[in-house]
Amino acid sequence: MQARLEVAAIDAVMVVFEARVDLAINQAVHQFAAQLKQANPSWLRDIVPAYHSAMVVYDIHQTDLPSVTYYLEQLLRQPTEQHHSLASTQHRFQVCYEAPYAPDMPRVIEHTGLSAAEIIALHSEREYHVYTVGFAPGFAYLGDVDERIQTPRLATPRSKVPAGSVAIANQQTAIYPRTSPGGWNLIGRVANWDMRQGLAIQAGDSVVFEVINAADFAALEQQQRPLS
Amino acid sequence: MSTKAHLKIVQPGLLATVQDRGRFGHSAQGVSRGGALDERAFLWANKLLGNTPNASAIEVTLGGFKAKVLTPGFAVVCGAPASVNLNDQPQPNWQVFATAPGDVIDILAPAHGLRCYLAVAGGFDVPPTLGSAATVVRDGLGGLRGDGTPLQAGDELAKGCASMYPAVVNRRPKHELIPRVSAHSELQLPMVPVAQFAQFSADEQQRLFNQAYTVTAQQDRMGVRLQGEQGMHWPHPQIISEPLPVGAIQIPPDGQPIVMLNDAQSLGGYPKVGVLSWSARMALAQASAGTKVRFVALELSHAQDELRAAELFFGCTG
């Protein structure tokens, strides 16, 4: 897949693929990131993959822009096996989609014209791809949400979204890793959520939601949480 | 009280946080870099004390800070020109002083500038979170408790073992090496044009350099909003969120630049026109509301030369 390089910062270049939010393009980004990580040139300081781009931070004491550009262009030209699976992890979370954990379910019902049961089924039947992680530590942008349940962000964001909330905004879904402000539609809550679970999610991984009822949620929450 | 405690916070002021150079290598997990905003002043403080460059220090925002010394040691205050008192006696900043149990250190509101760094010989012993002690409030990471909370009255910090050389009383940089914090004159901010700069029209590009901007009160450790007479118009559709480097100059829909500082989020969805040079970022981190600034284009190679020289000078390579 075609990509171009541009200066991103004093010590970083941006590798930019075609400007679309698209699964194949995003997979190319992660493929590239994995290749670079594996090659692990001594000057590589950091790599940050996003939707259609990845920022590569280099050590200016070891190399310079022309050398990095040449290296990355060579790497991008290397044929990659399309079906070569990346070492990605599947993360499974148990989610209660019932009140009081789904305050925006009525909004999603109204917007989509579907029943709560249909929305829950459509949201939980997919394996989601992690496009990128950003905005906050462990905040993974998951997609794509079934078109039938896509719902726009709230006009006014909430000042406090509880940690572990499962939310949707248009074609994306996410888990809020910690209590924070947020404008996505809250339709569930992960049982026994721990922020470190969010930090374990890498771009390119996949996420699956399992439906549990309120009684199971309460029972799981009763269990001893891992020591923090 | 812990017998190991070296310093007790009596009064943290507006915002006092434990900082080091920051949390590197975790941007892909959405973690902000954090770290001392005026990294140059922070590195000077450690250098003067003979500490390793990454030793933890306290970033004091707008003074109002008071701490009590519990065990013998050495300290220094670098950064904005604030009055420092040791037991109510004036103590020059940018100069190492000895401290004894019972001593009280006051850092008053700076005459101009925003941030001071209080460092002690050996650094503070703060357990790292994701490899760094840097406090990032919005990420809930780092600091004394590891959860991003700023320092509070009553907090006690132990001395670390980040000494490379013994501290020497009265050690200070040569006068000409102390960075001046701009008070009235227009601040020049060298920046390297990057990312979407070329996609703005020539007129818009000119506007960025031709007008002076004013630093607004809408600023914190995440970023600084600037206000110019005319906004910059982005003629294309919204961009897809991209990784956001520290120092990036973003142009939101109102056309007024936001310069990202250390606690910025790792992804940004606004077009970017440039990235500040290292020293420009240090200068902006000390620019109070009302300061006039002007962007000046800088070649990447010059910006790299400056950063390389600074990192070599302070011994923080590799």
Side-chain angles (χ1 to χ4, degrees):
Chain A
M1 204 170 278
Q2 285 290 323
R4 67 194 157 79
L5 302 178
E6 47 184 50
V7 174
I10 308 300
D11 58 355
V13 291
M14 197 78 81
V15 184
V16 186
F17 291 79
E18 194 187 332
R20 278 193 295 132
V21 175
D22 174 272
L23 187 61
I25 293 168
N26 188 246
Q27 276 165 341
V29 170
H30 297 312
Q31 182 87 49
F32 165 77
Q35 265 181 292
L36 181 57
K37 260 186 226 164
Q38 197 175 17
N40 197 24
S42 64
W43 47 257
L44 182 65
R45 282 280 187 85
D46 201 5
I47 174 157
V48 190
Y51 290 97
H52 75 304
S53 61
M55 186 166 74
V56 177
V57 184
Y58 56 94
D59 182 355
I60 58 167
H61 298 278
Q62 286 193 47
T63 189
D64 55 16
L65 180 65
S67 310
V68 170
T69 304
Y70 179 77
Y71 185 97
L72 296 178
E73 279 170 352
Q74 294 300 112
L75 196 68
L76 284 162
R77 270 195 211 112
Q78 268 179 28
T80 55
E81 289 186 36
Q82 284 303 308
H83 300 290
H84 174 76
S85 68
L86 302 171
S88 68
T89 308
Q90 190 194 62
H91 305 265
R92 303 183 79 86
F93 298 109
Q94 294 179 301
V95 178
C96 176
Y97 289 89
E98 297 170 24
Y101 310 114
D104 293 321
M105 191 60 88
R107 208 180 108 84
V108 180
I109 290 170
E110 195 187 350
H111 183 79
T112 62
L114 299 173
S115 69
E118 288 168 318
I119 292 162
I120 293 165
L122 288 171
H123 187 263
S124 60
E125 75 185 10
R126 286 203 176 180
E127 180 181 36
Y128 293 104
H129 167 72
V130 181
Y131 275 93
T132 184
V133 180
F135 167 67
F139 190 101
Y141 289 86
L142 313 173
D144 287 343
V145 168
D146 190 293
E147 277 180 25
R148 287 167 285 180
I149 59 168
Q150 293 185 4
T151 306
R153 287 177 175 79
L154 310 184
T156 310
R158 279 192 177 78
S159 56
K160 218 172 179 184
V161 173
S165 292
V166 175
I168 55 176
N170 301 315
Q171 76 272 33
Q172 308 197 88
T173 185
I175 305 166
Y176 278 87
R178 57 191 294 263
T179 301
S180 67
W184 292 26
N185 300 281
L186 311 185
I187 59 164
R189 183 92 57 89
V190 174
N192 243 338
W193 173 256
D194 185 292
M195 181 178 158
R196 283 171 298 179
Q197 291 172 288
L199 288 172
I201 301 174
Q202 306 279 330
D205 284 356
S206 62
V207 169
V208 172
F209 296 117
E210 289 173 6
V211 186
I212 57 166
N213 62 32
D216 290 340
F217 183 91
L220 284 165
E221 290 279 301
Q222 284 300 311
Q223 286 178 9
Q224 198 187 356
R225 285 166 178 272
L227 295 171
S228 52
Chain B
M1 187 179 93
S2 158
T3 48
K4 275 176 65 193
H6 174 58
L7 193 79
K8 182 173 183 162
I9 308 298
V10 178
Q11 186 184 296
L14 188 67
L15 178 69
T17 54
V18 173
Q19 297 294 344
D20 55 20
R21 292 190 67 212
R23 200 163 273 115
F24 292 91
H26 296 281
S27 315
Q29 293 162 278
V31 174
S32 310
R33 180 200 295 185
L37 288 191
D38 185 350
E39 189 185 27
R40 179 173 52 195
F42 163 86
L43 289 168
W44 262 119
N46 279 330
K47 188 180 175 78
L48 291 172
L49 287 163
N51 289 343
T52 56
N54 200 36
S56 302
I58 299 173
E59 181 178 277
V60 175
T61 311
L62 289 169
F65 175 93
K66 188 192 282 287
K68 191 172 184 180
V69 176
L70 306 174
T71 60
F74 299 88
V76 71
V77 178
C78 294
S83 296
V84 177
N85 288 341
L86 182 64
N87 302 325
D88 296 322
Q89 295 302 308
Q91 172 66 45
N93 51 18
W94 295 87
Q95 185 169 315
V96 174
F97 55 97
T99 56
D103 281 353
V104 173
I105 302 169
D106 272 293
I107 301 176
L108 309 182
H112 46 274
L114 303 171
R115 298 173 171 101
C116 295
Y117 295 87
L118 169 64
V120 298
F124 291 109
D125 180 20
V126 175
T129 317
L130 296 179
S132 164
T135 310
V136 181
V137 175
R138 71 177 289 274
D139 281 2
L141 293 171
L144 201 53
R145 294 164 188 79
D147 64 358
T149 44
L151 290 170
Q152 296 161 15
D155 280 353
E156 292 182 352
L157 294 107
K159 212 191 297 181
C161 46
S163 284
M164 291 192 295
Y165 311 106
V168 178
V169 169
N170 294 338
R171 193 171 175 212
R172 55 181 290 122
K174 280 185 198 148
H175 182 73
E176 63 270 23
L177 287 179
I178 297 177
R180 291 218 321 266
V181 173
S182 171
H184 301 296
S185 57
E186 192 178 88
L187 193 60
Q188 302 256 310
L189 296 178
M191 62 85 118
V192 179
V194 301
Q196 288 79 21
F197 178 80
Q199 297 172 47
F200 282 89
S201 71
D203 285 352
E204 300 287 345
Q205 295 176 1
Q206 283 300 312
R207 188 164 297 147
L208 183 68
F209 298 113
N210 287 351
Q211 65 180 332
Y213 288 95
T214 306
V215 173
T216 70
Q218 284 178 285
Q219 55 159 296
D220 56 19
R221 286 189 41 93
M222 276 183 76
V224 178
R225 275 181 190 270
L226 303 178
Q227 177 79 41
E229 206 145 279
Q230 286 182 293
M232 274 180 86
H233 172 66
W234 173 247
H236 307 290
Q238 248 189 310
I239 68 160
I240 301 167
S241 290
E242 292 179 341
L244 185 62
V246 171
I249 304 161
Q250 289 192 304
I251 306 295
D254 72 359
Q256 301 292 349
I258 306 174
V259 184
M260 306 320 294
L261 298 180
N262 299 44
D263 286 6
Q265 69 276 20
S266 59
L267 295 178
Y270 296 139
K272 295 169 287 297
V273 290
V275 63
L276 291 189
S277 74
W278 184 72
S279 57
R281 184 152 53 79
M282 306 303 108
L284 189 64
Q286 293 288 10
S288 43
T291 306
K292 295 267 186 264
V293 299
R294 190 179 290 268
F295 292 115
V296 185
L298 179 71
E299 276 183 42
L300 177 69
S301 61
H302 293 163
Q304 290 191 333
D305 288 345
E306 182 203 49
L307 179 58
R308 206 180 288 118
E311 291 188 344
L312 284 169
F313 179 77
F314 290 110
C316 40
T317 61

